[in-house]
Amino acid sequence: MLTSVNRICFTFVRCKHKLDYSKVPKLVDSELLEQHVRGSGPGGQATNKTSNCVVLKHLPTGIVIKCHESRSLDQNRKKARSLLVTKLDNLINKENSVEAQAKLLDNKKTTEMERKRQKRQALKNEWKTRENLID
Amino acid sequence: MFRTLVRRCVQTQCKRLSKLSDLSHVERRSLSANASTTGGNSKPETVEDMLKLWFKRFSDAQVYEPLESIANILASTLNSNKIATVYQERDRKLSTVEMKNIIEMCKKRLQRMPIQYVIGQWDFRELTLKLRPPVFIPRPETEILVELALNDIKSRDVTCILEPCCGSGAISLALLNLLPGLKAVACDKSSKACELTEENASDLKLSGRLEVQQCAIGDIELKNKFDLIISNPPYVLSKDMMDLQAEILLFEDLEALDGGLDGLDVVRDILGVATTYLNRSGKLFLEVDPSHPELIANLLTGSPSLGLKFERSHKDFNGVARFVEIIKT
């Protein structure tokens, strides 16, 4: 019982991994221009269209996000907003943006794995020379 | 001791490596064999083959939204509700059964069946709803109507809502899904619509808080009063009915769209229901034709006996006045 609790705590700490969200910019509604590519026509009940493309423009920076990932208009609007936040975060906070932080962590992991792999390789080569197995 | 351990490690690794190289060899061979059979004009096998083939066939037959149609059919075959999946898995080979299903669905689309009926479902806000002919397919504009009501409900105390003309149940279910303390009564005169609403409610595990009644809006009899009434009633003007898309005319229940000469036949009934069943300072939210907000405002000022006051109209995402907000005085 005790060990399982310990393990849960351990994974929790590991997952949290020091991503700093404090600098992520907040969207201001008055700075956004949302448009919908639904073409002309009466709309509402009189139209049956499947595309729900949302185009979101951030007026101060001119960044434009286009999202037609989902079949639901609401989900596309929310996704467009979250994509815009990520872009703004990268633009304003550069190496301190959440995405950059996550990338850095990921890079650290890969270099660590690479280091371990090279160590194993060195050991293998050493063993081969020792046993005269060089081909 | 250490040396033997290392040796064993290296040996197993070598074995694994040799296995891997064998496997990749086999794979490579099968891939090249594939490439030679799919090249040229042979039978379609992959997702991409079907996408290209049916895009062309739909375009030739002048089916509306040809690319979206086949992409949605393929996405549903791949058990996904996102078109992006189709492009991610474009090299996937389709089984004979899958092929048969796709062709079956494409044939329905060729007959102009709306894509939402062809694949049997569609998304509305956070929900995926089951849809089948002839029950009205929820439109994206109505997602905005739900948002208007949602903002209102959050700003005051609302425990029970009424939805006349519920169709597939989209509005009630979207609100119940977001607000765990809310209860709703939905009604529709079509038995097929009521059945579908109940089915969707039980699929989404929301049936405990939703009561469905089959009756015409004019004959409705309810035990209690409501804090909010919301509806997307039939509002298309009779003169506009003949200009509808073939998809709508052929497959959707036209009674769910036809609002009579001025498009307000059912809206007037709902105003009557609001007079009787809305609590004081309760609100009524309606989706209507762009010509309606002004007419409704005049109608309400002209008949003070209704006890309803026109609060304001709201625009949809095309900048058209599509929604009205009415308050009980």
Side-chain angles (χ1 to χ4, degrees):
Chain A
M1 186 60 212
L2 197 71
T3 49
S4 77
V5 169
N6 279 344
R7 199 172 297 156
I8 288 167
C9 296
F10 183 56
T11 45
F12 177 68
V13 170
R14 264 182 56 182
C15 290
K16 236 185 143 189
H17 247 329
K18 326 152 211 152
L19 283 184
D20 178 14
Y21 287 89
S22 64
K23 285 181 188 149
V24 175
K26 293 219 160 42
L27 297 181
V28 185
D29 270 345
S30 62
E31 293 178 356
L32 298 176
L33 180 69
E34 193 178 275
Q35 287 173 313
H36 298 260
V37 186
R38 293 258 299 166
S40 53
Q45 291 179 354
T47 314
N48 181 1
K49 282 188 182 180
T50 63
S51 57
N52 274 322
C53 188
V54 173
V55 180
L56 190 65
K57 189 172 181 185
H58 186 245
L59 298 171
T61 58
I63 293 178
V64 176
I65 303 280
K66 211 170 155 184
C67 182
H68 50 93
E69 184 187 276
S70 161
R71 303 186 299 205
S72 141
L73 173 82
D74 187 59
Q75 284 178 38
N76 281 338
R77 289 174 82 192
K78 285 177 180 153
K79 180 80 188 176
R81 276 178 164 68
S82 92
L83 287 172
L84 180 60
V85 169
T86 311
K87 268 211 167 170
L88 279 176
D89 185 32
N90 286 341
L91 186 81
I92 297 166
N93 296 321
K94 299 203 170 69
E95 68 275 13
N96 290 323
S97 74
V98 171
E99 208 174 58
Q101 289 175 52
K103 216 174 174 181
L104 196 72
L105 263 176
D106 210 45
N107 282 347
K108 268 188 191 161
K109 255 186 220 162
T110 23
T111 42
E112 178 65 9
M113 270 162 67
E114 178 63 16
R115 194 185 62 78
K116 281 184 177 163
R117 198 190 64 79
Q118 281 177 2
K119 202 174 164 189
R120 275 199 307 272
Q121 189 64 41
L123 274 172
K124 187 177 161 185
N125 288 343
E126 198 186 305
W127 169 73
K128 274 188 171 175
T129 35
R130 210 169 35 236
E131 305 279 325
N132 283 327
L133 283 173
I134 294 169
D135 37 38
Chain B
M1 178 68 196
F2 180 64
R3 196 184 284 183
T4 50
L5 225 145
V6 171
R7 190 179 299 178
R8 212 173 290 158
C9 259
V10 172
Q11 273 170 351
T12 47
Q13 225 176 17
C14 284
K15 259 186 209 163
R16 236 182 262 158
L17 273 172
S18 68
K19 259 188 203 163
L20 259 175
S21 66
D22 267 352
L23 204 123
S24 61
H25 191 64
V26 171
E27 254 180 8
R28 221 176 296 145
R29 209 183 303 161
S30 72
L31 275 176
S32 63
N34 254 351
S36 65
T37 49
T38 46
N41 290 326
S42 59
K43 266 173 78 178
E45 283 184 330
T46 63
V47 172
E48 193 176 15
D49 294 344
M50 288 304 263
L51 188 72
K52 283 182 180 160
L53 178 70
W54 280 95
F55 170 59
K56 188 167 182 308
R57 286 194 187 164
F58 284 152
S59 306
D60 291 348
Q62 294 184 323
V63 169
Y64 181 66
E65 295 186 324
L67 186 62
E68 286 87 346
S69 296
I70 181 59
N72 275 302
I73 287 172
L74 289 169
S76 112
T77 313
L78 298 170
N79 283 322
S80 165
N81 56 3
K82 294 202 164 70
I83 284 178
T85 316
V86 174
Y87 295 95
Q88 280 156 13
E89 299 193 26
R90 59 175 169 268
D91 296 326
R92 207 190 100 167
K93 252 183 133 178
L94 292 157
S95 72
T96 331
V97 182
E98 286 171 332
M99 270 311 187
K100 221 179 123 193
N101 286 338
I102 292 168
I103 292 167
E104 203 90 327
M105 287 194 267
C106 287
K107 279 184 184 160
K108 287 184 185 164
R109 185 71 192 108
L110 276 179
Q111 291 164 359
R112 301 298 187 275
M113 183 187 266
I115 193 72
Q116 297 92 335
Y117 289 153
V118 172
I119 63 172
Q121 50 160 254
W122 203 251
D123 293 349
F124 184 81
R125 292 190 70 98
E126 293 82 3
L127 309 175
T128 300
L129 297 168
K130 208 183 264 181
L131 294 172
R132 60 171 173 253
V135 182
F136 181 77
I137 299 165
R139 312 284 199 257
E141 280 86 349
T142 313
E143 294 188 36
I144 310 248
L145 178 69
V146 170
E147 185 145 344
L148 294 174
L150 200 62
N151 292 337
D152 177 55
I153 293 173
K154 281 178 181 164
S155 71
R156 61 194 180 100
D157 197 21
V158 173
T159 51
C160 203
I161 63 164
L162 172 68
E163 187 198 356
C165 313
C166 61
S168 62
I171 298 176
S172 294
L173 294 172
L175 287 170
L176 289 175
N177 175 54
L178 290 168
L179 304 158
L182 193 71
K183 282 185 179 172
V185 177
C187 79
D188 202 297
K189 70 172 182 176
S190 143
S191 60
K192 282 178 178 155
C194 291
E195 276 165 31
L196 191 60
T197 298
E198 274 175 346
E199 245 180 271
N200 276 321
S202 76
D203 285 354
L204 298 162
K205 309 211 167 27
L206 293 168
S207 41
R209 291 187 280 134
L210 180 70
E211 187 192 322
V212 183
Q213 270 194 31
Q214 190 204 332
C215 65
I217 185 68
D219 313 328
I220 201 164
E221 272 181 44
L222 298 154
K223 288 172 288 230
N224 52 322
K225 289 194 167 192
F226 299 85
D227 304 308
L228 186 136
I229 300 178
I230 182 168
S231 180
N232 174 21
Y235 61 71
V236 179
L237 280 64
S238 291
K239 70 173 174 60
D240 296 332
M241 286 298 288
M242 282 322 287
D243 301 330
L244 297 176
Q245 280 167 260
E247 277 87 349
I248 301 175
L249 283 174
L250 289 170
F251 289 91
E252 282 188 293
D253 182 359
L254 294 181
E255 289 200 35
L257 291 109
D258 190 353
L261 219 54
D262 59 358
L264 287 172
D265 281 6
V266 184
V267 172
R268 271 187 282 266
D269 284 346
I270 293 179
L271 291 176
V273 169
T275 303
T276 325
Y277 289 106
L278 209 51
N279 282 326
R280 223 195 142 111
S281 19
K283 278 186 181 170
L284 167 65
F285 285 91
L286 292 174
E287 181 178 324
V288 291
D289 186 84
S291 65
H292 287 159
E294 210 187 319
L295 291 177
I296 293 173
N298 292 340
L299 197 149
L300 291 183
T301 36
S303 26
S305 59
L306 284 172
L308 299 170
K309 185 174 155 265
F310 186 90
E311 276 276 284
R312 59 178 80 89
S313 67
H314 298 268
K315 286 178 176 169
D316 69 5
F317 46 73
N318 286 322
V320 176
R322 172 83 56 197
F323 314 103
V324 294
E325 186 178 336
I326 292 162
I327 193 163
K328 176 85 184 284
T329 51

